[in-house]
Coordinates of all heavy atoms in Angstrom, one line a residue:
M1 N 112.6 97.3 85.8 CA 111.6 98.4 85.5 C 111.2 99.0 86.9 O 111.0 98.3 87.9 CB 110.4 97.9 84.8 CG 109.4 98.9 84.5 SD 107.9 98.3 83.7 CE 108.5 97.5 82.3
E2 N 111.1 100.3 86.9 CA 110.7 101.0 88.1 C 109.3 100.5 88.5 O 108.4 100.4 87.6 CB 110.6 102.5 87.8 CG 110.2 103.3 89.0 CD 110.1 104.8 88.6 OE1 110.9 105.3 87.8 OE2 109.2 105.5 89.2
P3 N 109.0 100.3 89.8 CA 107.7 99.7 90.2 C 106.5 100.6 89.8 O 105.5 100.0 89.4 CB 107.9 99.7 91.7 CG 109.3 99.6 92.0 CD 110.0 100.4 90.9
L4 N 106.6 101.9 89.9 CA 105.5 102.7 89.5 C 105.1 102.6 88.0 O 104.0 102.5 87.6 CB 105.7 104.2 89.9 CG 104.5 105.1 89.7 CD1 103.3 104.6 90.5 CD2 104.9 106.5 90.2
R5 N 106.2 102.5 87.2 CA 106.0 102.4 85.8 C 105.4 101.0 85.5 O 104.5 100.9 84.6 CB 107.3 102.5 85.0 CG 107.1 102.5 83.5 CD 108.4 102.8 82.8 NE 109.0 104.1 83.2 CZ 110.3 104.2 83.4 NH1 111.1 103.2 83.2 NH2 110.8 105.4 83.8
E6 N 105.8 100.0 86.2 CA 105.3 98.6 86.0 C 103.8 98.6 86.3 O 103.0 98.0 85.6 CB 106.0 97.7 87.0 CG 105.7 96.2 86.7 CD 106.5 95.3 87.5 OE1 107.6 95.6 87.9 OE2 106.0 94.2 87.8
L7 N 103.4 99.3 87.4 CA 101.9 99.4 87.7 C 101.1 100.0 86.6 O 100.0 99.6 86.3 CB 101.7 100.2 89.0 CG 102.1 99.5 90.3 CD1 101.8 100.4 91.5 CD2 101.2 98.2 90.5
T8 N 101.6 101.1 86.1 CA 100.9 101.9 85.1 C 100.8 101.1 83.7 O 99.9 101.4 82.9 CB 101.4 103.3 84.8 OG1 102.8 103.2 84.4 CG2 101.4 104.1 86.1
K9 N 101.7 100.2 83.5 CA 101.7 99.4 82.3 C 100.7 98.2 82.3 O 100.4 97.7 81.3 CB 103.1 98.9 81.9 CG 104.0 100.0 81.5 CD 105.3 99.5 80.9 CE 106.1 100.6 80.5 NZ 105.9 101.0 79.1
N10 N 100.2 97.9 83.5 CA 99.3 96.8 83.6 C 97.9 97.3 83.4 O 97.2 97.7 84.3 CB 99.4 96.0 84.9 CG 98.6 94.8 84.9 OD1 97.5 94.7 84.4 ND2 99.1 93.8 85.6
H11 N 97.4 97.3 82.1 CA 96.1 97.9 81.8 C 95.0 97.0 82.2 O 93.8 97.4 82.4 CB 96.0 98.2 80.3 CG 97.0 99.2 79.9 ND1 96.9 100.5 80.1 CD2 98.2 99.0 79.2 CE1 98.0 101.1 79.6 NE2 98.8 100.2 79.0
V12 N 95.3 95.7 82.5 CA 94.2 94.8 82.9 C 93.9 95.0 84.4 O 92.7 95.3 84.7 CB 94.6 93.3 82.6 CG1 93.5 92.4 83.1 CG2 94.9 93.1 81.2
L13 N 94.9 95.0 85.2 CA 94.6 95.1 86.7 C 94.6 96.5 87.1 O 94.3 96.8 88.3 CB 95.7 94.3 87.5 CG 95.6 92.8 87.3 CD1 96.7 92.1 88.0 CD2 94.2 92.2 87.7
G14 N 95.0 97.5 86.3 CA 95.0 98.9 86.6 C 93.6 99.4 86.8 O 93.4 100.5 87.3
N15 N 92.6 98.7 86.4 CA 91.2 99.1 86.5 C 90.7 98.7 87.9 O 90.8 97.5 88.2 CB 90.4 98.5 85.4 CG 88.9 98.9 85.5 OD1 88.2 98.3 86.3 ND2 88.5 99.9 84.7
P16 N 90.1 99.6 88.6 CA 89.6 99.2 90.0 C 88.6 98.1 90.0 O 88.6 97.2 90.9 CB 89.0 100.5 90.6 CG 89.3 101.5 89.6 CD 89.8 101.0 88.3
V17 N 87.7 98.0 89.0 CA 86.7 96.9 89.0 C 87.3 95.6 88.7 O 87.1 94.6 89.4 CB 85.5 97.2 88.0 CG1 84.6 96.0 87.9 CG2 84.8 98.5 88.4
R18 N 88.2 95.6 87.8 CA 88.9 94.3 87.4 C 89.8 93.9 88.6 O 89.9 92.7 88.9 CB 89.7 94.4 86.1 CG 88.8 94.5 84.9 CD 89.5 94.4 83.6 NE 90.3 95.5 83.3 CZ 90.0 96.5 82.5 NH1 88.8 96.5 82.0 NH2 90.8 97.4 82.2
L19 N 90.5 94.8 89.2 CA 91.3 94.4 90.4 C 90.4 93.9 91.5 O 90.7 92.9 92.2 CB 92.1 95.6 90.9 CG 93.0 95.4 92.1 CD1 94.0 94.3 91.8 CD2 93.7 96.7 92.5
G20 N 89.2 94.5 91.7 CA 88.3 94.0 92.7 C 87.8 92.6 92.4 O 87.7 91.8 93.3
I21 N 87.6 92.3 91.2 CA 87.1 91.0 90.8 C 88.2 90.0 91.1 O 88.0 88.9 91.7 CB 86.9 90.9 89.2 CG1 85.6 91.7 88.9 CG2 86.7 89.5 88.8 CD1 85.4 92.0 87.4
M22 N 89.5 90.3 90.8 CA 90.6 89.4 91.0 C 90.8 89.2 92.5 O 91.1 88.1 93.0 CB 91.9 89.9 90.3 CG 91.7 90.0 88.8 SD 91.3 88.4 88.0 CE 92.8 87.5 88.2
L23 N 90.7 90.3 93.3 CA 90.9 90.1 94.7 C 89.8 89.3 95.4 O 90.1 88.5 96.3 CB 90.9 91.5 95.4 CG 92.2 92.4 95.1 CD1 92.0 93.8 95.6 CD2 93.4 91.7 95.6
Y24 N 88.6 89.4 94.8 CA 87.5 88.6 95.4 C 87.7 87.1 95.0 O 87.4 86.2 95.7 CB 86.2 89.1 94.9 CG 85.0 88.5 95.6 CD1 84.7 88.9 96.9 CD2 84.2 87.6 95.0 CE1 83.7 88.4 97.6 CE2 83.1 87.0 95.7 CZ 82.9 87.4 97.0 OH 81.8 86.9 97.7
L25 N 88.2 86.8 93.8 CA 88.4 85.5 93.3 C 89.6 84.7 93.9 O 89.5 83.5 94.1 CB 88.6 85.5 91.8 CG 87.4 85.7 90.9 CD1 87.8 85.9 89.4 CD2 86.4 84.6 91.0
L26 N 90.6 85.5 94.3 CA 91.8 84.8 94.8 C 91.6 83.7 95.8 O 92.1 82.6 95.7 CB 92.8 85.9 95.3 CG 93.8 86.4 94.4 CD1 94.6 87.5 95.0 CD2 94.7 85.3 93.8
P27 N 90.9 84.0 96.9 CA 90.7 82.9 97.9 C 89.5 82.0 97.7 O 89.3 81.1 98.5 CB 90.4 83.7 99.2 CG 89.7 85.0 98.7 CD 90.3 85.3 97.4
R28 N 88.9 82.1 96.5 CA 87.7 81.3 96.3 C 87.9 80.3 95.1 O 88.6 80.7 94.1 CB 86.5 82.2 96.0 CG 86.1 83.0 97.2 CD 85.1 84.1 96.9 NE 84.7 84.8 98.1 CZ 85.4 85.7 98.7 NH1 86.6 86.0 98.3 NH2 84.9 86.3 99.8
E29 N 87.3 79.2 95.1 CA 87.4 78.2 94.0 C 86.6 78.7 92.8 O 87.1 78.7 91.7 CB 86.8 76.9 94.5 CG 87.0 75.8 93.4 CD 86.6 74.5 93.9 OE1 86.7 74.2 95.1 OE2 86.1 73.7 93.1
R30 N 85.4 79.2 93.0 CA 84.6 79.7 91.9 C 83.6 80.7 92.5 O 83.2 80.6 93.7 CB 83.9 78.7 91.1 CG 82.7 78.1 91.8 CD 81.9 77.2 90.8 NE 80.6 77.0 91.5 CZ 79.9 75.9 91.2 NH1 80.2 75.0 90.4 NH2 78.7 75.8 91.8
V31 N 83.1 81.6 91.7 CA 82.2 82.6 92.1 C 81.1 82.7 91.0 O 81.4 82.6 89.8 CB 82.9 84.0 92.3 CG1 81.9 85.0 92.6 CG2 83.9 83.9 93.4
L32 N 79.9 82.8 91.4 CA 78.8 83.0 90.4 C 78.8 84.5 90.0 O 79.1 85.4 90.8 CB 77.5 82.6 91.0 CG 77.3 81.1 91.2 CD1 75.9 80.9 91.8 CD2 77.5 80.3 89.9
F33 N 78.4 84.8 88.8 CA 78.2 86.1 88.2 C 77.4 87.0 89.2 O 77.7 88.1 89.5 CB 77.6 86.0 86.8 CG 77.5 87.3 86.1 CD1 78.6 87.7 85.3 CD2 76.4 88.1 86.2 CE1 78.5 88.9 84.6 CE2 76.3 89.3 85.5 CZ 77.3 89.7 84.7
K34 N 76.3 86.4 89.6 CA 75.4 87.2 90.5 C 76.0 87.6 91.8 O 75.8 88.7 92.3 CB 74.1 86.3 90.8 CG 73.1 87.0 91.6 CD 71.8 86.2 91.8 CE 70.8 87.0 92.6 NZ 69.5 86.5 92.7
E35 N 76.9 86.7 92.3 CA 77.6 87.1 93.6 C 78.5 88.3 93.3 O 78.6 89.2 94.2 CB 78.4 85.9 94.1 CG 79.1 86.1 95.4 CD 79.8 84.8 95.8 OE1 79.6 83.7 95.3 OE2 80.6 84.9 96.8
L36 N 79.2 88.2 92.2 CA 80.1 89.4 91.9 C 79.3 90.7 91.7 O 79.8 91.7 92.1 CB 80.9 89.1 90.6 CG 82.1 88.2 90.8 CD1 82.7 87.8 89.4 CD2 83.2 88.8 91.6
L37 N 78.1 90.6 91.1 CA 77.3 91.7 91.0 C 77.0 92.4 92.3 O 77.0 93.6 92.5 CB 76.0 91.4 90.3 CG 75.9 91.3 88.8 CD1 74.5 90.8 88.3 CD2 76.3 92.6 88.1
E38 N 76.6 91.5 93.3 CA 76.2 92.0 94.6 C 77.4 92.6 95.3 O 77.3 93.6 96.0 CB 75.6 90.9 95.4 CG 74.2 90.4 94.8 CD 73.7 89.1 95.4 OE1 74.4 88.6 96.3 OE2 72.7 88.7 95.0
V39 N 78.6 91.9 95.3 CA 79.7 92.3 96.0 C 80.3 93.6 95.4 O 80.7 94.5 96.2 CB 80.8 91.2 96.0 CG1 82.2 91.7 96.5 CG2 80.4 90.0 96.8
L40 N 80.4 93.7 94.1 CA 81.0 94.9 93.5 C 80.1 96.1 93.2 O 80.5 97.2 93.0 CB 81.7 94.5 92.2 CG 82.8 93.4 92.3 CD1 83.2 92.9 91.0 CD2 84.0 94.0 93.1
E41 N 78.8 95.8 93.3 CA 77.7 96.8 93.0 C 77.9 97.5 91.7 O 78.1 98.7 91.6 CB 77.7 97.8 94.2 CG 77.3 97.2 95.5 CD 77.2 98.2 96.7 OE1 77.7 99.3 96.5 OE2 76.6 97.8 97.7
V42 N 78.0 96.7 90.6 CA 78.1 97.2 89.3 C 77.0 96.7 88.5 O 76.3 95.8 88.9 CB 79.5 96.8 88.6 CG1 80.7 97.5 89.3 CG2 79.7 95.3 88.6
T43 N 76.8 97.2 87.3 CA 75.7 96.7 86.5 C 76.1 95.4 85.8 O 77.3 95.2 85.6 CB 75.3 97.8 85.4 OG1 76.4 97.9 84.5 CG2 74.9 99.1 86.0
P44 N 75.1 94.6 85.4 CA 75.5 93.4 84.7 C 76.3 93.6 83.4 O 77.3 92.9 83.2 CB 74.1 92.8 84.3 CG 73.2 93.3 85.3 CD 73.7 94.7 85.6
G45 N 76.0 94.6 82.6 CA 76.8 94.9 81.4 C 78.2 95.3 81.7 O 79.1 94.9 81.1
N46 N 78.3 96.1 82.8 CA 79.7 96.6 83.2 C 80.5 95.4 83.7 O 81.7 95.2 83.3 CB 79.5 97.6 84.3 CG 80.8 98.3 84.7 OD1 81.7 97.7 85.1 ND2 80.8 99.6 84.5
L47 N 79.9 94.5 84.5 CA 80.6 93.3 85.0 C 81.0 92.4 83.8 O 82.1 91.9 83.8 CB 79.8 92.6 86.0 CG 80.4 91.3 86.6 CD1 81.8 91.7 87.3 CD2 79.5 90.7 87.6
D48 N 80.1 92.2 82.9 CA 80.4 91.3 81.8 C 81.5 91.9 81.0 O 82.4 91.1 80.6 CB 79.1 91.2 80.9 CG 79.3 90.3 79.8 OD1 79.6 89.1 80.0 OD2 79.3 90.7 78.6
S49 N 81.6 93.2 80.8 CA 82.7 93.8 80.0 C 84.0 93.6 80.7 O 85.0 93.2 80.1 CB 82.4 95.3 79.9 OG 83.5 95.9 79.3
H50 N 84.1 93.7 82.0 CA 85.3 93.6 82.8 C 85.7 92.1 82.8 O 86.9 91.8 82.7 CB 85.2 94.1 84.2 CG 85.1 95.6 84.2 ND1 86.2 96.4 83.8 CD2 84.2 96.5 84.6 CE1 85.9 97.7 84.0 NE2 84.7 97.7 84.4
L51 N 84.8 91.2 82.9 CA 85.1 89.8 82.9 C 85.6 89.3 81.6 O 86.5 88.5 81.5 CB 83.9 88.9 83.3 CG 83.5 89.0 84.8 CD1 82.1 88.3 85.0 CD2 84.6 88.4 85.7
R52 N 85.1 89.9 80.5 CA 85.6 89.5 79.2 C 87.0 90.0 79.0 O 87.8 89.3 78.3 CB 84.7 90.1 78.1 CG 83.2 89.6 78.1 CD 83.2 88.2 77.7 NE 81.8 87.7 77.9 CZ 81.4 86.4 78.0 NH1 82.3 85.5 77.8 NH2 80.2 86.1 78.2
A53 N 87.3 91.2 79.5 CA 88.7 91.7 79.4 C 89.6 90.8 80.2 O 90.7 90.5 79.7 CB 88.8 93.1 80.0
L54 N 89.2 90.4 81.4 CA 90.0 89.5 82.2 C 90.2 88.1 81.5 O 91.3 87.5 81.5 CB 89.4 89.3 83.6 CG 89.5 90.5 84.5 CD1 88.7 90.3 85.7 CD2 91.0 90.8 84.9
E55 N 89.1 87.6 80.9 CA 89.2 86.4 80.2 C 90.1 86.5 79.0 O 90.9 85.5 78.7 CB 87.8 86.0 79.7 CG 87.7 84.6 79.1 CD 86.3 84.2 78.8 OE1 85.5 85.0 78.2 OE2 85.9 83.0 79.0
K56 N 90.0 87.5 78.2 CA 90.9 87.7 77.1 C 92.4 87.8 77.5 O 93.2 87.3 76.8 CB 90.5 89.1 76.4 CG 91.3 89.3 75.1 CD 90.8 90.6 74.4 CE 91.7 90.8 73.2 NZ 91.3 92.1 72.6
A57 N 92.7 88.3 78.7 CA 94.0 88.4 79.2 C 94.5 87.0 79.7 O 95.6 86.8 80.1 CB 94.2 89.4 80.2
G58 N 93.5 86.1 79.9 CA 93.9 84.8 80.4 C 93.9 84.7 81.9 O 94.4 83.8 82.5
Y59 N 93.2 85.7 82.6 CA 93.2 85.8 84.1 C 92.1 85.0 84.7 O 92.2 84.6 85.8 CB 93.2 87.2 84.5 CG 94.4 88.0 84.3 CD1 95.5 87.6 83.5 CD2 94.6 89.3 84.8 CE1 96.6 88.3 83.3 CE2 95.7 90.0 84.6 CZ 96.7 89.5 83.8 OH 97.9 90.3 83.7
V60 N 91.0 84.9 84.0 CA 89.8 84.1 84.5 C 89.3 83.2 83.4 O 89.6 83.4 82.2 CB 88.7 85.1 85.0 CG1 89.1 86.0 86.1 CG2 88.0 85.9 83.8
R61 N 88.4 82.3 83.8 CA 87.7 81.4 82.9 C 86.2 81.5 83.2 O 85.9 81.4 84.4 CB 88.2 80.0 83.0 CG 87.6 79.1 82.0 CD 88.3 77.7 81.9 NE 88.0 76.8 83.0 CZ 86.8 76.1 83.0 NH1 85.9 76.4 82.1 NH2 86.6 75.3 84.0
L62 N 85.4 81.8 82.2 CA 84.0 81.8 82.4 C 83.4 80.5 81.9 O 83.8 80.0 80.9 CB 83.3 83.0 81.6 CG 83.9 84.4 82.0 CD1 83.2 85.4 81.0 CD2 83.6 84.7 83.4
Y63 N 82.4 80.0 82.6 CA 81.7 78.7 82.2 C 80.3 78.7 82.8 O 80.0 79.5 83.7 CB 82.6 77.5 82.6 CG 82.8 77.4 84.1 CD1 82.0 76.5 84.8 CD2 83.8 78.1 84.7 CE1 82.3 76.4 86.2 CE2 84.1 78.0 86.0 CZ 83.3 77.1 86.8 OH 83.5 77.0 88.1
K64 N 79.5 77.8 82.3 CA 78.2 77.6 82.8 C 78.1 76.5 83.8 O 78.7 75.5 83.6 CB 77.2 77.3 81.6 CG 77.1 78.5 80.6 CD 76.4 79.6 81.2 CE 76.2 80.7 80.2 NZ 75.6 81.9 80.7
V65 N 77.3 76.7 84.8 CA 76.9 75.7 85.8 C 75.4 75.6 85.7 O 74.7 76.5 85.4 CB 77.4 76.0 87.2 CG1 78.9 76.0 87.3 CG2 76.9 77.3 87.7
F66 N 74.9 74.4 86.0 CA 73.5 74.2 86.0 C 73.0 73.8 87.4 O 73.4 72.8 88.0 CB 73.1 73.1 85.0 CG 73.5 73.4 83.6 CD1 74.8 73.1 83.1 CD2 72.7 74.2 82.8 CE1 75.1 73.5 81.8 CE2 73.0 74.5 81.5 CZ 74.2 74.2 81.0
A67 N 72.1 74.7 87.9 CA 71.5 74.4 89.2 C 70.0 74.4 88.9 O 69.6 73.6 88.1 CB 71.8 75.5 90.2
D68 N 69.2 75.3 89.4 CA 67.8 75.4 89.0 C 67.7 76.0 87.5 O 66.7 75.7 86.9 CB 67.1 76.3 90.0 CG 67.7 77.7 90.1 OD1 68.9 77.8 90.0 OD2 66.9 78.6 90.4
R69 N 68.8 76.6 87.1 CA 68.8 77.1 85.7 C 70.3 77.4 85.4 O 71.1 77.4 86.3 CB 68.0 78.4 85.6 CG 68.5 79.6 86.4 CD 67.5 80.8 86.4 NE 67.9 81.8 87.3 CZ 68.7 82.8 87.0 NH1 69.1 83.0 85.8 NH2 69.0 83.7 87.9
P70 N 70.6 77.6 84.1 CA 72.1 77.8 83.8 C 72.5 79.2 84.4 O 71.8 80.2 84.4 CB 72.1 77.9 82.3 CG 70.8 77.3 81.8 CD 69.8 77.5 83.0
R71 N 73.7 79.1 85.0 CA 74.3 80.3 85.6 C 75.7 80.4 85.1 O 76.4 79.4 84.9 CB 74.3 80.2 87.1 CG 72.8 80.2 87.7 CD 72.9 80.1 89.2 NE 71.5 79.9 89.7 CZ 70.7 80.9 90.1 NH1 71.2 82.1 90.0 NH2 69.5 80.6 90.6
T72 N 76.2 81.7 85.1 CA 77.6 81.9 84.7 C 78.5 81.9 86.0 O 78.2 82.5 86.9 CB 77.8 83.2 84.0 OG1 77.0 83.2 82.8 CG2 79.2 83.5 83.6
A73 N 79.5 81.1 85.9 CA 80.5 81.0 87.0 C 81.8 81.5 86.5 O 82.1 81.5 85.3 CB 80.6 79.6 87.5
V74 N 82.6 82.0 87.4 CA 84.0 82.5 87.1 C 85.0 81.8 88.0 O 84.8 81.7 89.2 CB 84.0 84.1 87.4 CG1 85.3 84.7 86.9 CG2 82.8 84.8 86.7
R75 N 86.1 81.4 87.4 CA 87.2 80.8 88.1 C 88.5 81.5 87.7 O 88.7 81.8 86.5 CB 87.3 79.3 87.7 CG 88.3 78.5 88.5 CD 88.3 77.1 88.1 NE 87.0 76.4 88.1 CZ 86.6 75.8 89.2 NH1 87.3 75.7 90.3 NH2 85.4 75.2 89.1
I76 N 89.3 81.8 88.7 CA 90.6 82.5 88.4 C 91.5 81.4 87.8 O 91.5 80.2 88.2 CB 91.2 83.1 89.7 CG1 92.3 84.0 89.4 CG2 91.5 82.0 90.7 CD1 92.8 84.9 90.6
T77 N 92.4 81.8 86.9 CA 93.3 80.9 86.3 C 94.6 81.0 87.1 O 94.8 81.9 87.8 CB 93.6 81.2 84.8 OG1 94.2 82.5 84.7 CG2 92.3 81.2 84.0
E78 N 95.5 80.1 86.8 CA 96.9 80.1 87.5 C 97.6 81.4 87.1 O 98.1 82.1 87.9 CB 97.7 78.9 87.1 CG 99.0 78.9 87.8 CD 99.8 77.7 87.5 OE1 99.3 76.7 87.0 OE2 101.1 77.7 87.6
R79 N 97.5 81.8 85.8 CA 98.1 83.0 85.3 C 97.5 84.2 86.0 O 98.2 85.1 86.4 CB 97.9 83.2 83.8 CG 98.5 84.5 83.3 CD 98.4 84.6 81.8 NE 99.0 85.9 81.5 CZ 98.8 86.5 80.3 NH1 98.1 85.9 79.4 NH2 99.4 87.6 80.1
G80 N 96.2 84.2 86.2 CA 95.5 85.3 86.9 C 96.0 85.5 88.3 O 96.2 86.6 88.8
A81 N 96.1 84.3 89.0 CA 96.6 84.4 90.4 C 98.0 84.9 90.5 O 98.4 85.7 91.3 CB 96.5 83.0 91.0
V82 N 98.9 84.4 89.6 CA 100.3 84.9 89.5 C 100.4 86.4 89.3 O 101.1 87.1 89.9 CB 101.1 84.0 88.5 CG1 102.4 84.7 88.2 CG2 101.2 82.6 89.0
E83 N 99.7 86.8 88.2 CA 99.7 88.2 87.8 C 99.1 89.1 88.9 O 99.6 90.2 89.1 CB 99.0 88.4 86.5 CG 99.8 87.8 85.3 CD 101.2 88.4 85.1 OE1 101.4 89.6 85.3 OE2 102.1 87.6 84.8
T84 N 98.1 88.7 89.6 CA 97.5 89.5 90.6 C 98.4 89.6 91.8 O 98.6 90.7 92.4 CB 96.1 88.9 91.1 OG1 95.3 88.8 90.0 CG2 95.5 89.8 92.2
G85 N 99.1 88.5 92.1 CA 100.1 88.5 93.2 C 101.2 89.5 92.9 O 101.7 90.2 93.7
R86 N 101.7 89.4 91.6 CA 102.8 90.3 91.2 C 102.4 91.7 91.3 O 103.1 92.6 91.7 CB 103.2 89.9 89.8 CG 104.3 90.8 89.2 CD 104.8 90.4 87.9 NE 105.3 89.0 87.9 CZ 105.1 88.1 87.0 NH1 104.3 88.3 86.0 NH2 105.6 86.9 87.1
Y87 N 101.1 92.0 90.8 CA 100.6 93.4 90.8 C 100.6 93.9 92.3 O 101.0 95.0 92.6 CB 99.3 93.4 90.2 CG 98.7 94.8 90.0 CD1 99.1 95.6 88.9 CD2 97.8 95.4 90.9 CE1 98.5 96.8 88.7 CE2 97.3 96.7 90.7 CZ 97.7 97.4 89.6 OH 97.2 98.7 89.4
L88 N 100.1 93.1 93.2 CA 99.9 93.5 94.6 C 101.3 93.7 95.3 O 101.5 94.6 96.0 CB 99.1 92.5 95.4 CG 97.7 92.4 95.0 CD1 97.0 91.2 95.7 CD2 96.9 93.7 95.2
R89 N 102.3 92.8 94.9 CA 103.6 93.0 95.5 C 104.2 94.3 95.0 O 104.9 95.0 95.7 CB 104.5 91.8 95.1 CG 104.2 90.6 96.0 CD 105.3 89.5 95.7 NE 105.3 89.0 94.4 CZ 104.4 88.1 93.8 NH1 103.5 87.6 94.6 NH2 104.5 87.8 92.6
T90 N 104.0 94.6 93.7 CA 104.6 95.9 93.1 C 103.9 97.1 93.8 O 104.6 98.1 94.1 CB 104.4 95.9 91.6 OG1 105.0 94.7 91.1 CG2 105.0 97.1 91.0
L91 N 102.6 97.0 94.0 CA 101.9 98.1 94.6 C 102.4 98.3 96.0 O 102.6 99.4 96.4 CB 100.4 97.7 94.6 CG 99.4 98.8 95.2 CD1 99.6 100.1 94.5 CD2 98.0 98.3 95.2
K92 N 102.6 97.2 96.7 CA 103.2 97.3 98.1 C 104.6 98.0 98.1 O 104.9 98.8 98.9 CB 103.2 95.9 98.7 CG 103.7 96.0 100.2 CD 103.6 94.6 100.8 CE 104.1 94.6 102.2 NZ 104.1 93.3 102.8
E93 N 105.4 97.6 97.1 CA 106.7 98.2 97.0 C 106.6 99.7 96.7 O 107.4 100.4 97.4 CB 107.4 97.5 95.8 CG 108.9 97.9 95.7 CD 109.5 97.1 94.5 OE1 109.1 96.0 94.1 OE2 110.5 97.7 94.0
V94 N 105.7 100.1 95.9 CA 105.5 101.5 95.6 C 105.1 102.2 96.9 O 105.6 103.3 97.3 CB 104.5 101.8 94.5 CG1 104.1 103.2 94.4 CG2 105.1 101.3 93.2
L95 N 104.1 101.7 97.6 CA 103.6 102.3 98.8 C 104.7 102.4 99.9 O 104.7 103.4 100.6 CB 102.4 101.5 99.4 CG 101.1 101.6 98.5 CD1 100.1 100.7 99.0 CD2 100.6 103.1 98.5
N96 N 105.5 101.3 100.0 CA 106.6 101.3 101.0 C 107.7 102.3 100.7 O 108.4 102.7 101.6 CB 107.2 99.9 101.2 CG 106.3 99.0 101.9 OD1 105.4 99.4 102.6 ND2 106.4 97.7 101.7
S97 N 107.8 102.8 99.5 CA 108.8 103.7 99.1 C 108.4 105.2 99.3 O 109.2 106.1 99.1 CB 109.2 103.5 97.6 OG 108.2 103.9 96.8
L98 N 107.1 105.4 99.7 CA 106.6 106.8 99.9 C 107.1 107.3 101.2 O 107.3 106.7 102.1 CB 105.1 106.8 99.8 CG 104.5 106.4 98.5 CD1 103.0 106.4 98.6 CD2 104.9 107.2 97.4

């Protein structure tokens, strides 16, 4: 498949917020919801919607951690890491062909 066409068919990572979430998660073991809010500067509802889309695709896993109170944490899945890597390689291939 042509690289540009491959990029446009990935509806999960084709969204800038979801791609930003995945790029932030790649080098980290886990991230708290609040940290993602601060880094991405999106609303809680917007972030929740994007995380649910990533979770539905199998790219992330959401779970609760208990510190002073329950908090939502996000962890990238193996599938999410593989697909993000593939997406980035394809994007690089498209950019190198310009």
Side-chain angles (χ1 to χ4, degrees):
M1 179 184 306
E2 180 185 326
L4 187 57
R5 187 175 305 138
E6 189 176 330
L7 285 177
T8 61
K9 288 191 181 270
N10 189 324
H11 299 286
V12 177
L13 294 177
N15 179 282
V17 175
R18 289 193 290 264
L19 182 58
I21 291 167
M22 298 305 288
L23 291 173
Y24 193 73
L25 286 172
L26 269 175
R28 293 165 176 82
E29 184 174 329
R30 78 170 192 206
V31 176
L32 293 177
F33 185 90
K34 184 175 180 171
E35 184 178 348
L36 282 172
L37 278 177
E38 293 168 3
V39 169
L40 298 171
E41 297 181 346
V42 294
T43 65
N46 191 298
L47 180 57
D48 183 63
S49 173
H50 288 297
L51 286 173
R52 298 292 172 195
L54 289 168
E55 185 177 44
K56 184 177 178 185
Y59 289 12
V60 301
R61 187 169 78 73
L62 303 176
Y63 59 99
K64 294 292 183 186
V65 293
F66 297 92
D68 55 329
R69 61 187 175 94
R71 297 178 186 268
T72 301
V74 185
R75 186 179 306 268
I76 193 169
T77 63
E78 184 177 338
R79 177 177 182 198
V82 167
E83 292 299 323
T84 302
R86 180 178 296 138
Y87 188 85
L88 293 174
R89 284 188 298 280
T90 305
L91 182 59
K92 184 177 179 181
E93 187 179 334
V94 169
L95 291 172
N96 287 338
S97 70
L98 297 177

